[in-house]
Amino acid sequence: MGLSIAVVGSGPAAFYTAAALIEKAPDCTIDMIERLPTPFGLIRYGVAPDHEHTKNVMKAYGRTAQAPQVRFFGNVEIGRELSLSELRGLYDAVVLAVGAARDRPLGVPGDDKEGVIGSASFVGWYNGHPDFVDLAPNLETKNVVIVGQGNVAIDIARVLAKTPEEMARFDLVDHAAQKIQSAPIEDIYMIGRRGPIEAKFTNVELREMGHLVNCNPVVDASQLPATAEGEMSDRDRRMKEKNLATLKGFADAPADSAKKKRIHFSFYAAPVAVLGGSKVEGIRFERTAVKDGRAVGTGQFFEIPCRLVIAAIGYCSAKVPETPFDDREGIVKNADGRVEPGLYAVGWIKRGPSGVIGTNKPDGEACATQITTDLTPSAKAGRNGLENLLRARKARPLSFADWQVIEKAEIANARPGAPRRKFPRVAEMLAVLGAGAVAAS
Ligand code: NAP
């Protein structure tokens, strides 16, 4: 018998860890524990609906899930059906791959008003994440303000700007499509507290904004420096120069009057207050200058009236009970992935919410190396122990085959040309599996 390993979560970090473990320790058993009935985490619920090609990695993850060493336990939540310490009692190693699914608060007065929504919630809503089905964002607004200039901000702006025809081939969920596509939105402001050189979006994503059917990109040329100055690697400089060239192209292009929407890329402005009563009526910014890489207020202020503010300022992880959690960093404290003997962290819960999907691959490989060098197989109960415990607690774990039944129904329900129509509620997914499937309470 080889090592018994439980991986908590089933997003990219979880799958790259499992794949690396299969390579390094083919006699191991890997049980992937996921609180939702659906695997793939951020690929299913974070990647923008119109970036379907990015979701192709689900095929490779699916092959890993069906390897003889691996078992998927969907609809099982650590802290609900069993505790982390119970799980650690059953397995030689437990790997936390739970990601960063929460919103960071904007941290300015008024950020609790109705109509201020974090990007994790908003993206979850339009991607059919069961936690956010009932979010009901107010899209009855001409202006939308997105705070932050990362790729998530770009995703959100694009989804708000695209026409029904541009989204028809994708899996934007019905509840979001109906609301977004009937909204009176005309101006989408994406506002960065620093300058174009510091903006986090990447060039492919930025350029896409110049090819929208009904939306003109708007850039104030006076905010663009001539070149990418400052300390940075050659690679970063090339990337920043590309962004500058794209933004200059946007600034120089005449607005196409046939296009009804505008996406404003606006720099050097930090939010200072959300305005209104109980609901958002606008947002106030302070003009900034960048000094030593930091945004410094200039004492000049301006306001944008709007009913919706989306804070796309990065995600954070939920506190993981029974772990040494670093509240400031929003990660489980770890030494390059090692948390405590037999407990490991990978992906965003290890290093914070940055990097692309592939960044998790070396993370997963490093974790697998640590596990196989740190540990030898013990007599812990492993998979049998987990199954017994879940049976005793009347849980209803879902297998990967169960997920495939749900997936098949989603594909069968899709609009013509679209890849799938997601079930946004857990109860709907379980209903597909029939009477035997009872949601874990
Ligand atoms: P991000 O790249 O870290 O961007 C966060 C943005 O929010 C930055 O512009 C940041 O400005 C700003 N910000 C942070 N705190 C702020 C505050 N208090 N007030 C005002 N602005 C604030 O985060 P993300 O967009 O959530 O993306 C997360 C990761 O997923 C990134 O690595 C991203 O590349 C990746 N991703 C990739 C894709 C893709 O490849 N297509 C798509 C989506 C996400 P400062 O720089 O000044 O802090």
Side-chain angles (χ1 to χ4, degrees), residues 10 34 36-41 44-45 72 74-75 403 406 410 429:
S10 66
E34 165 60 57
L36 293 173
T38 54
F40 311 135
R44 180 174 161 95
Y45 292 121
F72 177 74
N75 199 32
W403 151 245
I406 297 170
E410 289 192 338
M429 300 179 205

Side-chain angles (χ1 to χ4, degrees), residues 345-396:
V346 285
W348 282 4
I349 191 70
K350 166 190 169 185
R351 59 188 162 77
S354 67
V356 294
I357 294 160
T359 315
N360 293 294
K361 197 165 185 224
D363 246 29
E365 284 163 2
C367 181
T369 303
Q370 289 169 351
I371 290 173
T372 50
T373 45
D374 291 354
L375 304 174
T376 49
S378 73
K380 288 189 175 181
R383 185 173 294 165
N384 283 342
L386 178 66
E387 285 173 335
N388 289 339
L389 198 145
L390 292 177
R391 210 171 297 122
R393 298 203 173 150
K394 303 202 177 347
R396 169 57 163 103

Side-chain angles (χ1 to χ4, degrees), residues 104 148-152 155 193-194 200 205 312-314 354-355:
R104 288 200 313 113
Q149 291 185 325
N151 279 331
V152 171
D155 281 348
R193 60 182 170 183
R194 299 192 290 159
K200 297 268 177 62
E205 285 67 23
I313 58 171
S354 67

Side-chain angles (χ1 to χ4, degrees), residues 8-93:
V8 184
S10 66
F15 274 106
Y16 289 123
T17 304
L21 281 165
I22 293 168
E23 281 283 316
K24 288 178 201 297
D27 60 347
C28 70
T29 55
I30 304 161
D31 293 336
M32 206 175 265
I33 294 157
E34 165 60 57
R35 77 182 175 97
L36 293 173
T38 54
F40 311 135
L42 203 70
I43 305 296
R44 180 174 161 95
Y45 292 121
V47 171
D50 58 337
H51 281 184
E52 180 63 27
H53 57 279
T54 307
K55 301 184 197 177
N56 279 337
V57 289
M58 292 193 298
K59 292 194 185 105
Y61 297 169
R63 286 192 291 277
T64 301
Q66 293 172 90
Q69 296 89 342
V70 179
R71 187 78 64 80
F72 177 74
F73 289 80
N75 199 32
V76 175
E77 185 170 348
I78 302 305
R80 189 177 64 183
E81 278 78 21
L82 73 161
S83 66
L84 183 62
S85 48
E86 285 174 320
L87 192 69
R88 292 179 69 182
L90 293 172
Y91 289 85
D92 295 327

Side-chain angles (χ1 to χ4, degrees), residues 380-426:
K380 288 189 175 181
R383 185 173 294 165
N384 283 342
L386 178 66
E387 285 173 335
N388 289 339
L389 198 145
L390 292 177
R391 210 171 297 122
R393 298 203 173 150
K394 303 202 177 347
R396 169 57 163 103
L398 303 189
S399 64
F400 197 77
D402 289 330
W403 151 245
Q404 287 176 308
V405 173
I406 297 170
E407 184 185 33
K408 215 169 152 189
E410 289 192 338
I411 293 168
N413 281 343
R415 284 184 300 272
R420 66 190 72 75
R421 176 179 267 132
K422 288 178 186 171
F423 294 112
R425 291 185 193 277
V426 169

